[in-house]
Amino acid sequence: MIFGIPLQAFLGQLLVGLINGSFYALLSLGLAVIFGLLRVINFAHGAQYMLGAFVAFLALKFLGVPYWGALVVAPLVVGAVGALIERTLLSRLYDLDHLYGMLFTFGLALAIEGSFRWYFGASGQPYATPKALTGVFNLGFMVLPIYRAWVIVASLVVCLAVWALIEKTRLGATLRAATENPSLVQSFGINVPMLLTLTYALGAGLAALAGVLAAPIYQVSPLMGSNIIIVVFAVVVVGGMGSIMGAIVTGYLLGIAEGLTKVFYPEASNIVIFVIMAIVLILRPAGLFGKEG
Amino acid sequence: MSALLNVSDLNAWYGESHILHGVNMHVTEGETVCILGRNGMGKTTTLRSIMGLVRKRTGAITFAGQDVMAMPLHRTARAGLGFVPEERGIFASLSVDENLMLPPVVAPGGMTLDEIFQLFPNLLERRNSPGTKLSGGEQQMLAMARILRTGARCLLLDEPTEGLAPVIIDAIGAVLRELKSRGMTVVLVEQNFRFASKVADRFYVMDHGVMTHEFPVGELDARMGMLQETLGV
């Protein structure tokens, strides 16, 4: 018993929080990567997450591509579509107010989600958990479905890999420099427009990867992205716009905070993240990990 | 002997303001050329237009026989031009080492890391510090060093001595003479007239967006009257 709550219920919700946090972290990481370099608030991120799940679903249904293949194929397909959109449409807006990028991606999200809802209907399509990941771990004090453990591990590994790519490699140093002063970096002979395209593709690919991971848990539905994306924006704001580590850590923390609120004060669990966001915005407007000014 | 860098009738704009009004200049290989002029006369804009950082421009710029005007910004460096901005442009989120290694090598013949650290021993000691923890002089040296690594043939150097202590200015002068002995071509924008007179072979004087005078370093004494009048020194 912890504060009068049975241990099972506590750990169970902690786990639910960690799972949700895994998705928040993956999605807010992609948003932070895109915002950092492109200065675009990618409202299409939820739609790209949904597209990832649908690519997995359709690839299995029509081409027999299994889950493991979908983990690779869906990010590549959605990343390629993202690259095409950035190159042909989004890049035309960089010289205008940042608001236009936000409006464009918002419109894009509405168009993508609208057409999927028109074609597939609003209800979810089931996506089977891969055989190797069915079953449970019996931890004694609780039962942990293997697939959920896998989601947590996969998300952690991918988040840390992307963090290391940006903070520890030459390519990452180039990305960080281009975030500070793109035209100077380009004057060194680095193809910055290409870098922007690849960064948008990376962000979209990460969203798609989260979509594939989510498919067996939440079902594949045209609205799955718009349900989660508002929370993810709150995560990015709390973490600090553009901060990579901030987005990751805050994603897990807020997922856990949401899960624990379900134990201690269930009525507030849907709003706790936004309450935290409001408090952070008052006390530290740049976010927990953001730099002031 | 034909010029390495040729600029003719260069006009350039920042938004609606017309800054350059037909700049003509040329730089021969191995030469150090200094552009003098008061603030706001278009010296920095000239360098930024040659590099391609100012895109709204007309006229002709050729470098090593290539038409630089037609190139996208990231091709100019590949043609052999290297730019060291007045504000130095050291990246805060990168270490000294990452700043140094950032510009890709564009041609063989650039300095090796050993040569760079011999020329700028301070940078070796501070390799792992964040770029902006360096002093102003060290930042200037880092900004120059990272271009020297790339094999650029011509260095566009914007006010390298601005705000620096005399001893650092002497060190930068020594670096420029060393570069000249290696055959590097340099276009220098300077307000520090004494410094420029020690390193430059030839001078342009810029006034209201055009080059008004051009003379070799040997005529410096004879031109002092004109210079004092135009530069207000």
Side-chain angles (χ1 to χ4, degrees), chain A residues 139-160:
Chain A
L139 303 176
F141 55 87
M142 67 175 295
V143 165
L144 171 61
I146 291 175
Y147 188 79
R148 301 197 170 215
W150 152 252
V151 166
I152 295 172
V153 172
S155 149
L156 261 177
V157 168
V158 171
C159 284
L160 288 177

PDB file of all heavy atoms in Angstrom, chain A residues 139-160:
ATOM      1  N   LEU A 139       5.674 -10.533 -13.095  1.00  0.00           N
ATOM      2  CA  LEU A 139       6.698  -9.943 -12.237  1.00  0.00           C
ATOM      3  C   LEU A 139       6.438 -10.228 -10.771  1.00  0.00           C
ATOM      4  O   LEU A 139       7.120  -9.717  -9.895  1.00  0.00           O
ATOM      5  CB  LEU A 139       6.766  -8.435 -12.455  1.00  0.00           C
ATOM      6  CG  LEU A 139       7.044  -7.984 -13.892  1.00  0.00           C
ATOM      7  CD1 LEU A 139       6.994  -6.474 -13.990  1.00  0.00           C
ATOM      8  CD2 LEU A 139       8.393  -8.501 -14.378  1.00  0.00           C
ATOM      9  N   GLY A 140       5.398 -11.060 -10.468  1.00  0.00           N
ATOM     10  CA  GLY A 140       5.079 -11.358  -9.070  1.00  0.00           C
ATOM     11  C   GLY A 140       4.071 -10.374  -8.532  1.00  0.00           C
ATOM     12  O   GLY A 140       2.935 -10.737  -8.250  1.00  0.00           O
ATOM     13  N   PHE A 141       4.458  -9.113  -8.486  1.00  0.00           N
ATOM     14  CA  PHE A 141       3.512  -8.113  -7.981  1.00  0.00           C
ATOM     15  C   PHE A 141       2.569  -7.635  -9.068  1.00  0.00           C
ATOM     16  O   PHE A 141       1.566  -6.990  -8.789  1.00  0.00           O
ATOM     17  CB  PHE A 141       4.259  -6.932  -7.358  1.00  0.00           C
ATOM     18  CG  PHE A 141       5.254  -6.291  -8.294  1.00  0.00           C
ATOM     19  CD1 PHE A 141       4.862  -5.291  -9.159  1.00  0.00           C
ATOM     20  CD2 PHE A 141       6.582  -6.707  -8.294  1.00  0.00           C
ATOM     21  CE1 PHE A 141       5.771  -4.714 -10.017  1.00  0.00           C
ATOM     22  CE2 PHE A 141       7.495  -6.117  -9.155  1.00  0.00           C
ATOM     23  CZ  PHE A 141       7.094  -5.125 -10.020  1.00  0.00           C
ATOM     24  N   MET A 142       2.900  -7.901 -10.325  1.00  0.00           N
ATOM     25  CA  MET A 142       1.997  -7.492 -11.405  1.00  0.00           C
ATOM     26  C   MET A 142       2.319  -8.272 -12.681  1.00  0.00           C
ATOM     27  O   MET A 142       3.365  -8.931 -12.785  1.00  0.00           O
ATOM     28  CB  MET A 142       2.114  -5.997 -11.689  1.00  0.00           C
ATOM     29  CG  MET A 142       3.469  -5.613 -12.268  1.00  0.00           C
ATOM     30  SD  MET A 142       3.537  -3.896 -12.739  1.00  0.00           S
ATOM     31  CE  MET A 142       2.339  -3.877 -14.040  1.00  0.00           C
ATOM     32  N   VAL A 143       1.389  -8.182 -13.655  1.00  0.00           N
ATOM     33  CA  VAL A 143       1.555  -8.865 -14.935  1.00  0.00           C
ATOM     34  C   VAL A 143       1.870  -7.823 -15.995  1.00  0.00           C
ATOM     35  O   VAL A 143       1.132  -6.853 -16.150  1.00  0.00           O
ATOM     36  CB  VAL A 143       0.267  -9.640 -15.282  1.00  0.00           C
ATOM     37  CG1 VAL A 143       0.269 -10.050 -16.737  1.00  0.00           C
ATOM     38  CG2 VAL A 143       0.139 -10.855 -14.381  1.00  0.00           C
ATOM     39  N   LEU A 144       2.987  -7.993 -16.687  1.00  0.00           N
ATOM     40  CA  LEU A 144       3.423  -7.001 -17.681  1.00  0.00           C
ATOM     41  C   LEU A 144       3.356  -7.611 -19.075  1.00  0.00           C
ATOM     42  O   LEU A 144       4.100  -8.533 -19.389  1.00  0.00           O
ATOM     43  CB  LEU A 144       4.866  -6.562 -17.376  1.00  0.00           C
ATOM     44  CG  LEU A 144       5.559  -5.688 -18.419  1.00  0.00           C
ATOM     45  CD1 LEU A 144       4.824  -4.377 -18.616  1.00  0.00           C
ATOM     46  CD2 LEU A 144       7.009  -5.423 -18.021  1.00  0.00           C
ATOM     47  N   PRO A 145       2.416  -7.130 -19.914  1.00  0.00           N
ATOM     48  CA  PRO A 145       2.369  -7.646 -21.293  1.00  0.00           C
ATOM     49  C   PRO A 145       3.708  -7.396 -21.993  1.00  0.00           C
ATOM     50  O   PRO A 145       4.264  -6.293 -21.887  1.00  0.00           O
ATOM     51  CB  PRO A 145       1.249  -6.832 -21.944  1.00  0.00           C
ATOM     52  CG  PRO A 145       0.455  -6.283 -20.815  1.00  0.00           C
ATOM     53  CD  PRO A 145       1.408  -6.106 -19.675  1.00  0.00           C
ATOM     54  N   ILE A 146       4.211  -8.400 -22.695  1.00  0.00           N
ATOM     55  CA  ILE A 146       5.531  -8.276 -23.332  1.00  0.00           C
ATOM     56  C   ILE A 146       5.543  -7.123 -24.337  1.00  0.00           C
ATOM     57  O   ILE A 146       6.511  -6.377 -24.433  1.00  0.00           O
ATOM     58  CB  ILE A 146       5.912  -9.614 -24.017  1.00  0.00           C
ATOM     59  CG1 ILE A 146       6.170 -10.664 -22.940  1.00  0.00           C
ATOM     60  CG2 ILE A 146       7.134  -9.445 -24.910  1.00  0.00           C
ATOM     61  CD1 ILE A 146       6.443 -12.046 -23.478  1.00  0.00           C
ATOM     62  N   TYR A 147       4.415  -6.969 -25.078  1.00  0.00           N
ATOM     63  CA  TYR A 147       4.422  -5.923 -26.105  1.00  0.00           C
ATOM     64  C   TYR A 147       4.628  -4.545 -25.488  1.00  0.00           C
ATOM     65  O   TYR A 147       5.313  -3.691 -26.038  1.00  0.00           O
ATOM     66  CB  TYR A 147       3.130  -5.940 -26.939  1.00  0.00           C
ATOM     67  CG  TYR A 147       3.239  -4.985 -28.108  1.00  0.00           C
ATOM     68  CD1 TYR A 147       3.939  -5.356 -29.255  1.00  0.00           C
ATOM     69  CD2 TYR A 147       2.730  -3.700 -28.034  1.00  0.00           C
ATOM     70  CE1 TYR A 147       4.111  -4.470 -30.299  1.00  0.00           C
ATOM     71  CE2 TYR A 147       2.895  -2.800 -29.084  1.00  0.00           C
ATOM     72  CZ  TYR A 147       3.582  -3.199 -30.210  1.00  0.00           C
ATOM     73  OH  TYR A 147       3.773  -2.319 -31.244  1.00  0.00           O
ATOM     74  N   ARG A 148       4.022  -4.338 -24.309  1.00  0.00           N
ATOM     75  CA  ARG A 148       4.156  -3.009 -23.676  1.00  0.00           C
ATOM     76  C   ARG A 148       5.587  -2.773 -23.210  1.00  0.00           C
ATOM     77  O   ARG A 148       6.106  -1.655 -23.315  1.00  0.00           O
ATOM     78  CB  ARG A 148       3.171  -2.889 -22.524  1.00  0.00           C
ATOM     79  CG  ARG A 148       1.776  -3.086 -23.112  1.00  0.00           C
ATOM     80  CD  ARG A 148       0.634  -2.641 -22.281  1.00  0.00           C
ATOM     81  NE  ARG A 148      -0.533  -2.725 -23.153  1.00  0.00           N
ATOM     82  CZ  ARG A 148      -1.555  -1.893 -23.125  1.00  0.00           C
ATOM     83  NH1 ARG A 148      -1.563  -0.922 -22.232  1.00  0.00           N
ATOM     84  NH2 ARG A 148      -2.548  -2.031 -23.957  1.00  0.00           N
ATOM     85  N   ALA A 149       6.217  -3.825 -22.697  1.00  0.00           N
ATOM     86  CA  ALA A 149       7.625  -3.699 -22.302  1.00  0.00           C
ATOM     87  C   ALA A 149       8.470  -3.348 -23.530  1.00  0.00           C
ATOM     88  O   ALA A 149       9.359  -2.488 -23.482  1.00  0.00           O
ATOM     89  CB  ALA A 149       8.111  -4.995 -21.682  1.00  0.00           C
ATOM     90  N   TRP A 150       8.150  -3.998 -24.654  1.00  0.00           N
ATOM     91  CA  TRP A 150       8.872  -3.741 -25.900  1.00  0.00           C
ATOM     92  C   TRP A 150       8.727  -2.280 -26.341  1.00  0.00           C
ATOM     93  O   TRP A 150       9.703  -1.641 -26.749  1.00  0.00           O
ATOM     94  CB  TRP A 150       8.363  -4.698 -26.986  1.00  0.00           C
ATOM     95  CG  TRP A 150       8.479  -4.195 -28.396  1.00  0.00           C
ATOM     96  CD1 TRP A 150       7.476  -3.791 -29.219  1.00  0.00           C
ATOM     97  CD2 TRP A 150       9.687  -4.042 -29.145  1.00  0.00           C
ATOM     98  NE1 TRP A 150       7.962  -3.391 -30.423  1.00  0.00           N
ATOM     99  CE2 TRP A 150       9.325  -3.534 -30.421  1.00  0.00           C
ATOM    100  CE3 TRP A 150      11.040  -4.283 -28.873  1.00  0.00           C
ATOM    101  CZ2 TRP A 150      10.256  -3.263 -31.409  1.00  0.00           C
ATOM    102  CZ3 TRP A 150      11.969  -3.997 -29.869  1.00  0.00           C
ATOM    103  CH2 TRP A 150      11.570  -3.496 -31.122  1.00  0.00           C
ATOM    104  N   VAL A 151       7.507  -1.745 -26.220  1.00  0.00           N
ATOM    105  CA  VAL A 151       7.289  -0.352 -26.635  1.00  0.00           C
ATOM    106  C   VAL A 151       8.160   0.588 -25.811  1.00  0.00           C
ATOM    107  O   VAL A 151       8.797   1.505 -26.348  1.00  0.00           O
ATOM    108  CB  VAL A 151       5.794   0.033 -26.488  1.00  0.00           C
ATOM    109  CG1 VAL A 151       5.610   1.543 -26.585  1.00  0.00           C
ATOM    110  CG2 VAL A 151       4.975  -0.659 -27.577  1.00  0.00           C
ATOM    111  N   ILE A 152       8.214   0.324 -24.495  1.00  0.00           N
ATOM    112  CA  ILE A 152       9.014   1.201 -23.632  1.00  0.00           C
ATOM    113  C   ILE A 152      10.490   1.133 -24.026  1.00  0.00           C
ATOM    114  O   ILE A 152      11.161   2.160 -24.188  1.00  0.00           O
ATOM    115  CB  ILE A 152       8.820   0.814 -22.154  1.00  0.00           C
ATOM    116  CG1 ILE A 152       7.374   1.062 -21.745  1.00  0.00           C
ATOM    117  CG2 ILE A 152       9.778   1.608 -21.262  1.00  0.00           C
ATOM    118  CD1 ILE A 152       7.027   0.526 -20.368  1.00  0.00           C
ATOM    119  N   VAL A 153      10.982  -0.092 -24.208  1.00  0.00           N
ATOM    120  CA  VAL A 153      12.406  -0.271 -24.552  1.00  0.00           C
ATOM    121  C   VAL A 153      12.708   0.342 -25.919  1.00  0.00           C
ATOM    122  O   VAL A 153      13.677   1.098 -26.086  1.00  0.00           O
ATOM    123  CB  VAL A 153      12.779  -1.769 -24.537  1.00  0.00           C
ATOM    124  CG1 VAL A 153      14.189  -1.963 -25.087  1.00  0.00           C
ATOM    125  CG2 VAL A 153      12.681  -2.316 -23.122  1.00  0.00           C
ATOM    126  N   ALA A 154      11.852   0.055 -26.908  1.00  0.00           N
ATOM    127  CA  ALA A 154      12.092   0.558 -28.263  1.00  0.00           C
ATOM    128  C   ALA A 154      12.106   2.081 -28.277  1.00  0.00           C
ATOM    129  O   ALA A 154      12.977   2.709 -28.894  1.00  0.00           O
ATOM    130  CB  ALA A 154      11.020   0.023 -29.217  1.00  0.00           C
ATOM    131  N   SER A 155      11.156   2.670 -27.565  1.00  0.00           N
ATOM    132  CA  SER A 155      11.075   4.131 -27.552  1.00  0.00           C
ATOM    133  C   SER A 155      12.314   4.734 -26.893  1.00  0.00           C
ATOM    134  O   SER A 155      12.891   5.703 -27.402  1.00  0.00           O
ATOM    135  CB  SER A 155       9.793   4.552 -26.827  1.00  0.00           C
ATOM    136  OG  SER A 155       9.968   5.778 -26.170  1.00  0.00           O
ATOM    137  N   LEU A 156      12.741   4.129 -25.768  1.00  0.00           N
ATOM    138  CA  LEU A 156      13.934   4.629 -25.082  1.00  0.00           C
ATOM    139  C   LEU A 156      15.160   4.567 -25.996  1.00  0.00           C
ATOM    140  O   LEU A 156      15.926   5.528 -26.105  1.00  0.00           O
ATOM    141  CB  LEU A 156      14.210   3.780 -23.834  1.00  0.00           C
ATOM    142  CG  LEU A 156      13.751   4.345 -22.501  1.00  0.00           C
ATOM    143  CD1 LEU A 156      14.046   3.344 -21.385  1.00  0.00           C
ATOM    144  CD2 LEU A 156      14.466   5.665 -22.205  1.00  0.00           C
ATOM    145  N   VAL A 157      15.321   3.415 -26.669  1.00  0.00           N
ATOM    146  CA  VAL A 157      16.492   3.225 -27.530  1.00  0.00           C
ATOM    147  C   VAL A 157      16.480   4.246 -28.673  1.00  0.00           C
ATOM    148  O   VAL A 157      17.496   4.893 -28.960  1.00  0.00           O
ATOM    149  CB  VAL A 157      16.527   1.787 -28.092  1.00  0.00           C
ATOM    150  CG1 VAL A 157      17.551   1.658 -29.205  1.00  0.00           C
ATOM    151  CG2 VAL A 157      16.831   0.804 -26.960  1.00  0.00           C
ATOM    152  N   VAL A 158      15.302   4.414 -29.315  1.00  0.00           N
ATOM    153  CA  VAL A 158      15.229   5.336 -30.448  1.00  0.00           C
ATOM    154  C   VAL A 158      15.472   6.781 -29.984  1.00  0.00           C
ATOM    155  O   VAL A 158      16.219   7.537 -30.612  1.00  0.00           O
ATOM    156  CB  VAL A 158      13.860   5.216 -31.164  1.00  0.00           C
ATOM    157  CG1 VAL A 158      13.691   6.323 -32.195  1.00  0.00           C
ATOM    158  CG2 VAL A 158      13.750   3.851 -31.820  1.00  0.00           C
ATOM    159  N   CYS A 159      14.871   7.144 -28.850  1.00  0.00           N
ATOM    160  CA  CYS A 159      15.059   8.510 -28.344  1.00  0.00           C
ATOM    161  C   CYS A 159      16.537   8.777 -28.065  1.00  0.00           C
ATOM    162  O   CYS A 159      17.075   9.830 -28.444  1.00  0.00           O
ATOM    163  CB  CYS A 159      14.248   8.739 -27.070  1.00  0.00           C
ATOM    164  SG  CYS A 159      12.494   8.971 -27.366  1.00  0.00           S
ATOM    165  N   LEU A 160      17.195   7.841 -27.395  1.00  0.00           N
ATOM    166  CA  LEU A 160      18.604   8.051 -27.056  1.00  0.00           C
ATOM    167  C   LEU A 160      19.468   8.068 -28.315  1.00  0.00           C
ATOM    168  O   LEU A 160      20.428   8.839 -28.412  1.00  0.00           O
ATOM    169  CB  LEU A 160      19.085   6.971 -26.085  1.00  0.00           C
ATOM    170  CG  LEU A 160      18.510   7.124 -24.670  1.00  0.00           C
ATOM    171  CD1 LEU A 160      18.964   5.976 -23.767  1.00  0.00           C
ATOM    172  CD2 LEU A 160      18.922   8.464 -24.056  1.00  0.00           C
TER     173      LEU A 160
END
